Structure formats: C-alpha cells, structure tokens
C-alpha cells in the first residue's frame, strides 16, 4: 500500500468507521478532512510541522489547573467564541453569552445583597447591581449569581499570592430578582502572554489586551445557564479584544459618583465611587437551542 494525496485522507477518515460512538466518527472524520485540507492549502513544510508540534508541546507543559494555556489558545483563535455562539442560540431578549475564560474558581464566598466582595483589592469602589429576569421581563427569585473580575492592576485574585478571594463571590437573587455587590471598577488587562500563546500573539502583530469587564455566571432551575460579561462603555479595547468576546449588548455605562453620595444598600462611601446597573436576562432551556 502506498497511500498519498486524497487516498491518504480517505484512508484516515475510514480508520474511524468503527468508532463506538457515532459522534466520535463525525468529529474525527471532519477533523481529519479539514486538517489535511489545511496542510495542502498552505503546502505545509516539515519545519513548520515540527514548529507546530513544539508549540503544542510547550502549550501543554505550561498548563496547570490555574494556568490553562490550551483554553487561552482556543480563546485567541476565536474557537471559544464560535462554540459559545453555536451552543447558545436564544431569543434576542435574552442576555448574550460570551467566553468563560480561565479565572473562574468553584466555591467562591457567599455574599448578601450589598456586601463588599473586593476584600481589599486595589481599585475604585464600584457598586454592581441589577436584576435577573426572564425574557418576559419578570424577576427570577433565587437565581444563583456568580461573579469574578480583575482588580485595578489587571489581576485576578488567583494570579496573586493571597490568603483569601478578592472580587469573587456568589449570591442569590431576592424576591424581585435583585443582585448587588460592591467590587472595584474593572480595568482593561492583558491575558497571560508570557507563554506560547503570547508568542503567537506577538508573531501575529496582535496585542494581549481585554477591555474592562465583570464576569457573571447565572443559574436558575428551568433556565439555560448564562455565562457572560458586562463590559465598560468607552474602553479603548472594545473593538480589539484579544479573545473576540465583546458583544454590543453587553457594553454598559459605569456612572461616577462623588464621595458622600448615598448609595443603595446603606453605604455612603467616603471616596468617589462608580456604579453599574445591568439586568441579566435568562432564557429557559426550551427557549435555548443547544
Ligand atoms: C478573562 O476574561 O478572564 C479571560 C478570557 C479569555 C482568556 C483570558 C482571560
Ligand atoms: Fe476576565
């Protein structure tokens, strides 16, 4: 046997015919066909092949439970956002989904409405509030709202050597669907670019920056889980997010308040602060096409 060209591709595709799971066969058949078509299109050299293998090897070697370089690679290649779009087809009234990112941590502290979750993180205080609603505009009581974000220096708590969580919590909406917590005003920050993904960005003449945002994951019985961000209007990186995560409907104003301006939930900060109010609208599982 002397397989070359199209015959080689056909043979590799056929080698998955015996897959126990038909979906494995579908996935591997398409992957092999597209991978071979890519190599043919660019006339892949052996040097380039070994460079790619070395890149993927180093991507694996730098990865840990908290440094997820493969997730980062999928993010900068737009694969994460493509998959988010395919998996979350829902009515226009529902809040759009965006990338999960690598900085979520299970088991965040519980916060009551109006609690300060910054826990000493550097940054300007920011009251983050809104309601969790269904697509008819009705409140969803008892929804679980999980949130996480970077501080003013552009770091998540898990990137720092800390004793406890900062700018990270979960809370349950009240009878009117309200969520509310104090954190810090988010700023634009670079995704980790000291590894292979950073090399790729530089080779492509691309930057590592993400526009300022707050992460949310919202779950409620009967509703599709919402993973999204709220982005700060006016940020200079909204049009060139390193991971292509921005959707216009997720951009909102952060309002500046002078010191002494009374805020809801019984706090009157003694320094200037920001507030942002954003409703998170869930589609039911039936309203969401997976
Ligand atoms: C984030 O927003 O936390 C994030 C998303 C994708 C890649 C890196 C960071
Ligand atoms: Fe983020």
């Amino acid at each position: 046997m002397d397989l070359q060209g199209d015959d080689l591709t056909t043979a590799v595709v056929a080698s998955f015919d015996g897959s126990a799971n038909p979906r494995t066969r579908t996935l591997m058949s398409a992957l092999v066909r597209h991978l071979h078509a890519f190599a043919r299109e660019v006339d892949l050299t052996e040097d380039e092949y070994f460079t790619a293998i070395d890149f993927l090897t180093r991507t694996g070697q730098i990865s840990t439970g908290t440094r997820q370089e493969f997730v980062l690679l999928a993010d900068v290649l737009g694969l994460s956002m493509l998959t988010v779009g395919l998996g979350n087809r829902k009515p226009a009234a529902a809040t759009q989904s965006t990338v999960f990112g690598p900085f979520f941590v299970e088991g965040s502290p519980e916060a009551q409405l109006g609690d300060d979750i910054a826990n000493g993180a550097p940054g300007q205080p920011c009251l983050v509030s809104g309601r969790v609603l269904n697509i008819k505009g009705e409140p969803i009581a008892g929804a679980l709202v999980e949130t996480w974000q970077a501080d003013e220096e552009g770091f998540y708590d898990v990137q720092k050597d800390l004793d406890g969580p900062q700018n990270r919590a979960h809370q349950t909406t009240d009878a009117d669907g309200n969520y509310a917590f104090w954190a810090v005003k988010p700023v634009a920050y670079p995704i980790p670019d000291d590894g292979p993904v950073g090399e790729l960005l530089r080779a492509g003449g691309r930057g590592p920056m993400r526009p300022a945002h707050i992460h949310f994951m919202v779950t409620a019985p009967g509703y599709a889980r919402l993973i999204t961000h709220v982005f700060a209007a006016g940020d200079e990186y909204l049009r060139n997010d390193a991971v292509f995560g921005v959707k216009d409907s997720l951009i909102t104003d952060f309002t500046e308040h002078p010191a002494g301006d009374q805020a809801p939930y019984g706090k009157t900060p003694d320094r200037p602060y920001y507030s942002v109010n954003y409703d998170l609208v869930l589609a039911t599982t039936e309203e969401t096409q997976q």
Side-chain angles (χ1 to χ4, degrees):
M1 196 140 99
D2 197 3
L3 292 172
Q4 302 180 39
D6 288 347
D7 287 349
L8 174 64
T9 305
T10 305
V12 182
V13 168
S15 74
F16 287 98
D17 282 355
S19 305
N21 182 339
R23 184 68 179 156
T24 305
R25 184 178 167 194
T26 305
L27 294 173
M28 292 314 299
S29 161
L31 180 65
V32 169
R33 284 186 285 105
H34 287 279
L35 209 51
H36 285 213
F38 160 77
R40 283 195 193 94
E41 180 183 322
V42 300
D43 203 3
L44 190 70
T45 68
E46 286 186 288
D47 272 357
E48 288 162 346
Y49 167 87
F50 285 117
T51 300
I53 296 291
D54 175 61
F55 176 86
L56 291 173
T57 303
R58 289 186 294 111
T59 299
Q61 284 167 341
I62 201 175
S63 295
T64 65
T66 50
R67 174 71 191 251
Q68 299 187 25
E69 197 75 359
F70 273 111
V71 177
L72 218 50
L73 181 58
D75 293 340
V76 303
L77 293 179
L79 181 62
S80 306
M81 278 309 287
L82 186 59
T83 312
V84 165
L86 294 171
N88 293 278
R89 285 176 273 214
K90 51 190 167 184
T95 300
Q96 289 188 286
S97 302
T98 188
V99 280
F100 193 40
F103 297 123
F104 174 77
V105 177
E106 288 286 354
S108 65
E110 181 172 4
Q112 304 304 317
L113 285 186
D115 274 0
D116 184 346
I117 68 164
N119 198 17
Q124 291 178 277
C126 182
L127 176 64
V128 185
S129 65
R131 293 197 302 159
V132 177
L133 306 170
N134 64 21
I135 63 166
K136 290 185 234 150
E138 297 160 343
I140 302 176
L144 175 65
V145 177
E146 298 182 74
T147 185
W148 64 105
Q149 65 165 89
D151 64 21
E152 185 182 54
E153 288 157 9
F155 293 113
Y156 285 79
D157 52 2
V158 288
Q159 296 175 287
K160 305 190 280 186
D161 198 13
L162 292 175
D163 285 340
Q166 289 183 333
N167 290 317
R168 178 187 300 284
H170 67 271
Q171 67 183 191
T172 306
T173 55
D174 69 8
D176 294 321
N178 288 299
Y179 71 87
F181 53 88
W182 284 89
V184 301
K185 182 169 188 285
V187 299
Y189 68 84
I191 63 170
D193 68 344
D194 56 345
V197 170
E199 283 171 33
L200 179 64
L201 291 176
R202 283 184 288 282
R206 291 174 51 178
M209 297 302 288
R210 295 216 65 207
H213 60 271
I214 301 172
H215 290 257
F216 288 96
M217 178 156 74
V218 188
T219 41
Y223 292 88
R225 182 174 68 173
L226 171 66
I227 293 173
T228 197
H229 310 348
V230 170
F231 291 94
D235 190 287
E236 68 172 295
Y237 297 102
L238 286 170
R239 294 288 154 244
N240 52 358
D241 179 3
V243 303
F244 308 96
V246 181
K247 298 201 169 145
D248 286 346
S249 64
L250 302 177
I251 302 172
T252 196
D253 286 322
F254 283 60
T255 308
E256 197 171 358
H257 303 268
D261 220 9
Q262 201 190 343
Y265 301 100
K267 201 167 166 182
T268 308
D270 56 7
R271 54 183 178 135
Y273 67 94
Y274 284 84
S275 68
V276 57
N277 190 268
Y278 192 88
D279 290 339
L280 299 161
V281 182
L282 304 188
T284 62
T285 35
E286 290 78 43
E287 289 160 348
T288 307
Q289 281 177 277
Q290 297 289 326

